[in-house]
Amino acid sequence: MLKYGIPDLRPFFDSDLRWLKHYGFAADATLAVLTAPDAMWLRVTMLLSGVALNGLATALYIGSQLGRGPRDGLMTGLHRRTGQSLRLVRTGLELSVVLLGLLLGGVAGIGTLLYALAIGPLTQLLLPLVTVDLPTRGRGARQ
C-alpha cells in the first residue's frame, strides 16, 4: 500500500555525513603537513593560488560534461534562461550566499569576498579552454 506523508530523509543525511568525514580527514591530513606561513606575502600568494586553482577546477569539471554540482547547475541553468554571462550569474549567486551567511551570524573575511567576486570571472575565462564538445547522436541527443 502506498502511503503519503513526510518522506524519510535519514538515508540522504547519513550519506552526506559519511562524505563529511572524508572531507574532515582530508583537511586534518593537510593541516598536519602544512603549517600556516608567517610571511604575509606567502599568505597572500596561497590565497590567490587557492582561488585561481578552484576556478580552474570548476571549469575542468563543468567542461568535462560529466555533470555539475548543485551551485554550478544553478549557475549554468540561470545563464541559459536569462542570457546573462556566467561571471555575472555566478558572482550574484556567491554574493547571495555570503549575504545569507552574514544574516545567519557568520563571518566573511577577505578570502571569502575575494572568492565570491573572482570565481565567476575565472570560470567564464577558463571554461572555453577546457570544454569537451560531445558529438550529437541524432534525435533526442543532448545539445
Side-chain angles (χ1 to χ4, degrees), residues 82-94:
T82 65
Q84 298 294 323
S85 67
L86 281 177
R87 70 175 176 252
L88 180 65
V89 171
R90 182 60 182 255
T91 301
L93 288 171
E94 293 295 333

Side-chain angles (χ1 to χ4, degrees), residues 16 35 84:
D16 276 359
T35 59
Q84 298 294 323

Side-chain angles (χ1 to χ4, degrees), residues 119-143:
I119 194 67
L122 284 171
T123 302
Q124 182 168 329
L125 176 72
L126 298 171
L127 193 56
L129 303 174
V130 296
T131 298
V132 175
D133 290 325
L134 298 177
T136 57
R137 292 188 245 161
R139 248 176 70 147
R142 193 173 85 174
Q143 294 182 13

Side-chain angles (χ1 to χ4, degrees), residues 39-76:
M40 184 55 75
W41 70 269
L42 193 50
R43 287 176 178 236
V44 170
T45 301
M46 290 177 74
L47 172 65
L48 296 176
S49 299
V51 172
L53 285 173
N54 198 273
L56 176 61
T58 300
L60 283 171
Y61 82 80
I62 292 173
S64 69
Q65 306 291 345
L66 295 175
R68 296 166 179 86
R71 194 175 296 179
D72 295 316
L74 182 59
M75 172 188 69
T76 55

